[in-house]
Amino acid sequence: MNRSNIEWTEVTWNPTTGCTKVSTGCKNCYAERWANMQYKRGINQYRNGFDLTLAVERLNDPLKWKKPQIVFVNSMSDLFHDKVEPDYIKKVFSVMNNTPQHTYQILTKRIERVKDLSDSIFWSDNIWLGVSVENTEFVERIEILKKIPAKIKFISFEPLLGDVKYNDFTDIDWVLAGGESGGKARKVEKEWIKSIRDNCKRQNTAFFFKQWGKRIFNPDPKDPTIDKNHTFYAKGGCMIDNEIYREYPNIE
């Protein structure tokens, strides 16, 4: 079910790169692996490997895009890392504020810093804010997220590393979940995913299941989305009991 009234295509925008690990979900960070690969290739933006680096040369990229885009902000970093100065964060927000034709998705584990800076930045309606929550230990991030004045708020339970004992999605517009991928991926359990899905159904919250992460984690070895030729191919497949869940929040 697609609950969005926009055509869903996504680009990434990295006005910063690099990060540091803050919780268990960071252990096998894909961005760290990618950044180190680019460093070895001599790509200037990754000249510092995975150390936090401002990519000032990328700051105004969205101003150049003529076609409206769905933009994932900082796939290779965390905009609210403590080494990113408030003035630079404000510059990033200014670009987003001044390009209302684009929709921006910001995902962070540092929601406490978002709260501290929230009153000093302008949350235009085209800016979505999400938090990563890998297990029950970090559900307090959700409570803080609810207090931020972003129009669209979302949770990413990815990589999901445990059964999340949390079921209040009040004021949450979108929930995503997925297993970890990669050679050192930690297992995700079907019941953890189903619990989140069922809570979303009860509260009419859009639910998007991204992937099982690895084929061996998928309880259905015949899941057709394991095949790379499938329209909805995902790592390890993405069906739950023969259904695909790729819902999006309603955009008013």
Side-chain angles (χ1 to χ4, degrees), residues 15-16 73-74 77-81 84 89 92-93 96 106 113:
T16 72
V73 181
N74 274 0
S77 185
D78 188 328
L79 181 60
F80 290 94
H81 191 284
V84 183
I89 293 173
V92 173
F93 267 74
M96 295 189 287
I106 303 172
R113 190 163 190 233

Side-chain angles (χ1 to χ4, degrees), residues 70-183:
I70 305 294
V71 184
F72 186 70
V73 181
N74 274 0
S75 62
M76 299 297 294
S77 185
D78 188 328
L79 181 60
F80 290 94
H81 191 284
D82 56 9
K83 289 187 178 179
V84 183
E85 293 292 337
D87 283 349
Y88 191 75
I89 293 173
K90 290 176 185 178
K91 289 179 181 179
V92 173
F93 267 74
S94 178
V95 171
M96 295 189 287
N97 298 152
N98 289 316
T99 51
Q101 70 274 26
H102 304 318
T103 299
Y104 296 91
Q105 301 169 348
I106 303 172
L107 182 63
T108 184
K109 288 186 175 72
R110 295 167 170 83
I111 194 66
E112 295 88 352
R113 190 163 190 233
V114 181
K115 180 185 68 174
D116 292 342
L117 295 174
S118 185
D119 289 343
S120 65
I121 50 186
F122 177 55
W123 294 90
S124 48
D125 287 349
N126 62 329
I127 301 174
W128 302 8
L129 181 67
V131 291
S132 295
V133 177
E134 55 265 53
N135 56 34
T136 296
E137 181 180 356
F138 300 104
V139 294
E140 181 59 30
R141 293 172 182 166
I142 303 172
E143 291 302 311
I144 300 173
L145 171 66
K146 291 179 179 181
K147 299 174 183 178
I148 307 298
K151 182 177 181 180
I152 299 292
K153 303 179 182 70
F154 65 97
I155 307 165
S156 176
F157 292 107
E158 187 185 18
L160 185 60
L161 302 175
D163 189 16
V164 176
K165 303 297 184 183
Y166 184 93
N167 59 12
D168 181 10
F169 295 145
T170 305
D171 296 325
I172 300 298
D173 303 282
W174 194 25
V175 170
L176 305 94
E180 190 169 42
S181 60

Side-chain angles (χ1 to χ4, degrees), residues 162-217:
D163 189 16
V164 176
K165 303 297 184 183
Y166 184 93
N167 59 12
D168 181 10
F169 295 145
T170 305
D171 296 325
I172 300 298
D173 303 282
W174 194 25
V175 170
L176 305 94
E180 190 169 42
S181 60
K184 298 180 180 179
R186 292 158 285 182
K187 187 177 182 182
V188 64
E189 298 286 352
K190 180 179 179 180
E191 293 308 312
W192 304 345
I193 298 292
K194 288 181 65 176
S195 175
I196 293 170
R197 179 202 63 184
D198 293 347
N199 283 330
C200 287
K201 283 186 175 181
R202 281 192 289 270
Q203 298 174 68
N204 196 32
T205 303
F207 175 68
F208 189 113
F209 180 54
K210 184 175 179 181
Q211 62 187 21
W212 288 101
K214 296 180 77 170
R215 182 189 294 254
I216 60 172
F217 299 162

Side-chain angles (χ1 to χ4, degrees), residues 4 64 68 153 218 234 250:
S4 172
K64 306 170 187 176
K153 303 179 182 70
N218 191 330
N250 289 317

